[in-house]
Amino acid sequence: MPALAALPAAGLALFFAFPLITLLAPQPIHTPMDFVRHVVLARNHFLFELWLALGGVMAAPMFASSVVAMPLLLDRRATVMQAVLTSWQAVLVNPLPLALWAALIMGFTLL
């Protein structure tokens, strides 16, 4: 069931992230350059950090649902639900190594 809960949660976070950021911005956001000026480059506000945190909230359940599920589905006979539940169980049992793995993936993606 965690995988089924992760998809609507990610969509909900995406649906509310942009309106939340635009409501909290000190100036109206109408164009992408307004977003860059008033959210990303703002000195006195922490909207960009909030935006990144919302992205993390959206990415965490997706990572937890797929970190072990994809290799398991490719290597063994397992249903999608079994693979996703196994993936969540692996994240709950080994939070630090898998957090490090998520950070490495994020770091390599930034390169």
Side-chain angles (χ1 to χ4, degrees), residues 1-10 61-62 64-66 69 80-85 87-88:
M1 259 346 203
L4 297 178
L7 291 176
M62 293 300 169
S65 296
S66 63
V80 173
M81 185 59 74
Q82 289 171 333
V84 169
L85 290 175
S87 188
W88 275 86

Side-chain angles (χ1 to χ4, degrees), residues 13-93:
L14 183 62
F15 181 73
F16 286 113
F18 184 73
L20 179 68
I21 296 301
T22 55
L23 286 174
L24 295 175
Q27 302 290 328
I29 306 284
H30 298 293
T31 65
M33 276 312 294
D34 289 341
F35 180 80
V36 170
R37 270 190 225 107
H38 302 301
V39 174
V40 177
L41 299 176
R43 292 178 190 247
N44 299 331
H45 300 283
F46 296 101
L47 291 178
F48 187 62
E49 289 81 3
L50 176 63
W51 188 57
L52 290 175
L54 285 172
V57 167
M58 200 167 43
M62 293 300 169
F63 175 78
S65 296
S66 63
V67 66
V68 175
M70 294 301 171
L72 186 63
L73 287 170
L74 291 172
D75 194 40
R76 312 240 172 164
R77 292 192 110 179
T79 66
V80 173
M81 185 59 74
Q82 289 171 333
V84 169
L85 290 175
T86 302
S87 188
W88 275 86
Q89 184 179 16
V91 170
L92 292 174
V93 171

